[in-house]
Amino acid sequence: MKSWRKFLLALLAAVIAAAIYGAMVIRRGFSATDEPSSVEKAVARIARNLAIPSGARHEKNLWEATPEILQEAREHYIARCAICHANDGTGQSKVGRNLYPKAPDLRSPQTQNLTDGEIRYIIQNGVRLTGMPAWGNPHEEQEDDSWKLVLFIRYLRQPTIEEKAQQEKTAASARYVGSQACEKCHEQIYKRWKKTPMANVVRDPREHPEVIIPNLATNTVAKFTKDQVALVYGSLWKQRYFTKIGDDYFPLSAQWDVTHRIWRPYFVASGTDWWTPFYPPDNMQRPTGPTCDGCHSVGYNIHTKQVVEWNVGCERCHGPGSEHAEHPSRGNILNPARMEYVRASDTCIQCHSQGRPLTSPIEGKYYDWPVGFRPGLHLQDFWQLEEHTLGVASFTHFAEGTAHKNRMQGNDFVQSVMYRRGITCFNCHDVHGTDNYAQLRKPADKLCLDCHGPLSLNGPRTATLEEHTHHKAGSPGSQCVACHMPKIEATIADVKVRAHTFAFITPAMTDKYKIPNPCTSCHTDKSTAWATEAMRQWPERSPWRLEE
């Protein structure tokens, strides 16, 4: 009898608890935006795990995580998974956060502790009563795709607490060993990187006689001989030449304009950079160590003025690699791809930005790069981006706030909606090397449309791209970068590189702030009034936004 009483009491308690919970739901509502309770999360995981057949749990993935396979899997992930799980696997996307239960963090132990077979089964069959669909339609997907996605999900795994501790310890003890030490284990990546501008921005003409592009005899701007050239900087837009005096390098006074194939003077005039008042107006009294070399090398030592290697080598982004080269593991090397988005992009912004060190001068010298910073640290502790006052044009910014000179991709990017949404530089670029312009992961328009296809949540809100651009498909005006990344930032003379705010610059902004807009930059025979009136006829454009 006592056992019956206990059962009835327990049943009564359960009914009362259910009634209270039901009353709370009726009063509060049941919104998909609510955060599930820990109990709900636990129950959902248990139900998911129990639904996976034992046979599937023990299936083995026969694919290996080669760079090619991971790249292929990444494409599938972006096309199908990123809308909910976000590009970095965190689940912090607009759709993912509005599901109930929320899209899980694929980097977390709750996912990573599953077997390959379990993850693959979930991809193939989905999870009932959640937003996870079944991707295993035999008519639309090859079975191998799910296994490759498993490899990419494994790639997203974050360092464990132990690995993070090891990384901190390694950072204090590891030394630089040079990029060639990475080749043994990362041969394919190393070979791609060796062909990139990153790997070839600084070259010694004695080792590479072919590196000097022009005939030096044609230089009538400021004569110098090949014997005077210790290092050659650049080859894409401009090429500069440094001579060596003692243990310092100094810029020679003529540079080659690669686009126009002419010689131009090279001298940083007063008022065109923050550090000019602190150096005499003479190139031979402006050593490149403080102004250039810290970004164009690995391990520049401000005391010895020596580098571990010239160019942007592996350790520039991954930190000193001696311990990793001897005993490879995730815990003794840094990977920006597994950092949160601010530190991840800081790896690039450290050099692709205009700013100045927080401490200046440093031992009596004024440095134009973040001395002391290394990947994994907070760039804001070492470096301050050039400030801008809205409405005021400066040597770095248009009055509207977009950069107008080169090496300001970071200054632009941190203003963008893309950055605020957690997109990183290497969501678009692969510094290890690709066959695309600017080391993009895909040709620009294909890359943009991965996330911004017609009628996507990220826009454009039209059925076709032509309806959005009002230009014929395949024409210059139909290119995403033509309007959202116009070439308005000067690198040499009238040669310009693309802005990275991703904002559309209206003709009205040209009138107000004197910043070039994409419309009249292309239609050079037309006025800003013509461009504004033309866009007023576009039905999906707000007339109020045209006045900004």
Side-chain angles (χ1 to χ4, degrees):
M1 194 68 178
K2 290 183 178 179
S3 60
W4 276 104
R5 287 180 181 175
K6 290 181 180 178
F7 173 75
L8 289 173
L9 286 172
L11 182 61
L12 180 62
V15 170
I16 293 172
I20 293 172
Y21 180 75
M24 291 173 60
V25 168
I26 292 170
R27 182 180 179 184
R28 187 188 61 189
F30 196 78
S31 172
T33 61
D34 290 340
E35 189 67 33
S37 67
S38 56
V39 173
E40 288 177 288
K41 292 178 182 178
V43 170
R45 280 197 297 270
I46 291 170
R48 178 200 67 186
N49 295 343
L50 289 175
I52 301 173
S54 59
R57 298 175 193 276
H58 303 296
E59 288 184 327
K60 300 298 182 183
N61 194 343
L62 300 180
W63 290 92
E64 293 184 5
T66 65
E68 292 77 15
I69 294 296
L70 286 174
Q71 177 62 22
E72 181 184 343
R74 185 180 184 278
E75 300 300 333
H76 287 299
Y77 177 87
I78 289 174
R80 299 184 311 188
C81 313
I83 188 171
C84 293
H85 293 284
N87 280 347
D88 57 1
T90 59
Q92 298 296 315
S93 71
K94 184 175 181 180
V95 173
R97 293 304 301 160
N98 285 317
L99 290 174
Y100 198 89
K102 310 303 179 191
D105 184 343
L106 299 181
R107 310 168 309 164
S108 70
Q110 285 84 357
T111 296
Q112 294 292 333
N113 289 342
L114 297 172
T115 67
D116 284 2
E118 287 173 325
I119 296 175
R120 187 249 182 185
Y121 183 87
I122 292 169
I123 294 170
Q124 287 282 94
N125 298 282
V127 181
R128 292 186 183 185
L129 303 180
T130 74
M132 179 62 195
W135 290 103
N137 188 329
H139 302 292
E140 295 181 1
E141 183 202 20
Q142 297 205 6
E143 197 172 285
D144 290 336
D145 290 344
S146 293
W147 283 119
K148 292 173 184 176
L149 272 172
V150 172
L151 293 176
F152 185 75
I153 291 169
R154 293 293 189 214
Y155 174 80
L156 292 172
R157 179 177 75 79
Q158 294 295 284
T160 63
I161 294 175
E162 292 77 16
E163 287 172 336
K164 288 180 179 178
Q166 187 182 2
Q167 285 177 349
E168 292 179 5
K169 181 180 178 181
T170 299
S173 60
R175 67 187 187 284
Y176 291 109
V177 291
S179 298
Q180 198 161 359
C182 307
E183 182 181 13
K184 180 180 178 182
C185 296
H186 304 280
E187 182 180 6
Q188 293 174 328
I189 292 176
Y190 181 85
K191 284 181 177 178
R192 281 195 288 131
W193 165 79
K194 282 290 286 184
K195 299 176 183 178
T196 66
M198 290 284 198
N200 294 284
V201 67
V202 181
R203 286 179 286 182
D204 185 336
R206 289 157 187 78
E207 297 177 9
H208 305 278
E210 75 288 354
V211 70
I212 298 178
I213 298 173
N215 180 351
L216 297 185
T218 63
N219 174 14
T220 59
V221 173
K223 287 283 189 182
F224 58 83
T225 65
K226 185 176 180 179
D227 290 340
Q228 290 176 269
V229 180
L231 293 175
V232 175
Y233 262 48
S235 62
L236 292 180
W237 301 292
K238 53 187 177 276
Q239 190 169 78
R240 292 171 178 164
Y241 311 92
F242 294 175
T243 192
K244 190 172 186 180
I245 302 174
D247 54 3
D248 280 315
Y249 294 92
F250 298 87
L252 295 166
S253 297
Q255 61 182 329
W256 179 251
D257 181 332
V258 176
T259 304
H260 297 101
R261 300 187 60 78
I262 60 173
W263 288 96
R264 296 186 185 276
Y266 177 60
F267 176 73
V268 181
S270 177
T272 60
D273 223 324
W274 70 269
W275 51 264
T276 55
F278 305 107
Y279 287 91
D282 178 358
N283 278 355
M284 291 301 106
Q285 296 186 60
R286 292 177 168 184
T288 62
T291 57
C292 306
D293 298 344
C295 278
H296 292 138
S297 68
V298 175
Y300 181 88
N301 187 310
I302 64 171
H303 301 111
T304 65
K305 304 176 186 177
Q306 299 296 309
V307 302
V308 174
E309 66 175 310
W310 287 108
N311 297 304
V312 184
C314 307
E315 293 164 299
R316 183 79 203 179
C317 302
H318 294 282
S322 59
E323 295 192 23
H324 185 72
E326 292 175 10
H327 308 287
S329 77
R330 280 193 173 198
N332 56 24
I333 198 69
L334 293 169
N335 188 343
R338 297 189 182 93
M339 298 176 187
E340 44 80 24
Y341 80 99
V342 173
R343 292 198 197 195
S345 289
D346 279 352
T347 308
C348 307
I349 293 173
Q350 62 169 311
C351 288
H352 289 273
S353 66
Q354 289 281 349
R356 58 191 76 185
L358 294 186
T359 301
S360 194
I362 298 172
E363 298 181 9
K365 294 182 180 179
Y366 294 86
Y367 288 84
D368 199 25
W369 48 275
V371 177
F373 174 78
R374 59 173 173 75
L377 299 178
H378 290 287
L379 183 59
Q380 67 204 40
D381 295 335
F382 300 85
W383 189 243
Q384 176 184 336
L385 297 181
E386 285 294 342
E387 295 180 352
H388 174 257
T389 302
L390 188 63
V392 178
S394 67
F395 71 88
T396 53
H397 293 84
F398 290 105
E400 163 271 353
T402 301
H404 70 64
K405 64 182 294 189
N406 190 24
R407 203 193 120 189
M408 291 194 64
Q409 294 86 355
N411 303 67
D412 275 353
F413 186 45
V414 297
Q415 303 178 54
S416 71
V417 175
M418 303 270 276
Y419 181 80
R420 294 199 296 273
R421 294 291 184 270
I423 300 300
T424 65
C425 305
F426 37 82
N427 283 132
C428 299
H429 300 274
D430 182 355
V431 295
H432 298 130
T434 72
D435 293 329
N436 303 310
Y437 175 77
Q439 311 306 312
L440 291 173
R441 292 184 178 276
K442 289 183 178 180
D445 280 357
K446 291 182 179 179
L447 184 67
C448 298
L449 293 177
D450 277 345
C451 298
H452 302 281
L455 294 179
S456 74
L457 289 172
N458 300 312
R461 296 173 183 85
T462 56
T464 67
L465 193 61
E466 288 87 342
E467 289 178 83
H468 173 67
T469 65
H470 295 263
H471 286 75
K472 184 179 179 181
S475 68
S478 74
Q479 297 176 358
C480 306
V481 294
C483 291
H484 292 280
M485 298 184 70
K487 287 187 174 182
I488 60 174
E489 303 182 359
T491 181
I492 181 172
D494 61 350
V495 181
K496 295 179 172 63
V497 296
R498 297 193 181 278
H500 277 69
T501 63
F502 305 102
F504 175 68
I505 300 164
T506 65
M509 292 167 69
T510 301
D511 294 334
K512 187 174 182 179
Y513 296 115
K514 310 306 178 189
I515 178 173
N517 72 83
C519 302
T520 55
S521 293
C522 185
H523 299 277
T524 55
D525 60 329
K526 303 294 185 181
S527 67
T528 53
W530 167 84
T532 298
E533 185 57 32
M535 285 192 291
R536 286 188 186 280
Q537 310 308 313
W538 297 359
E540 78 289 352
R541 287 289 184 279
S542 164
W544 312 114
R545 292 197 64 190
L546 298 180
E547 301 300 329
E548 292 179 354

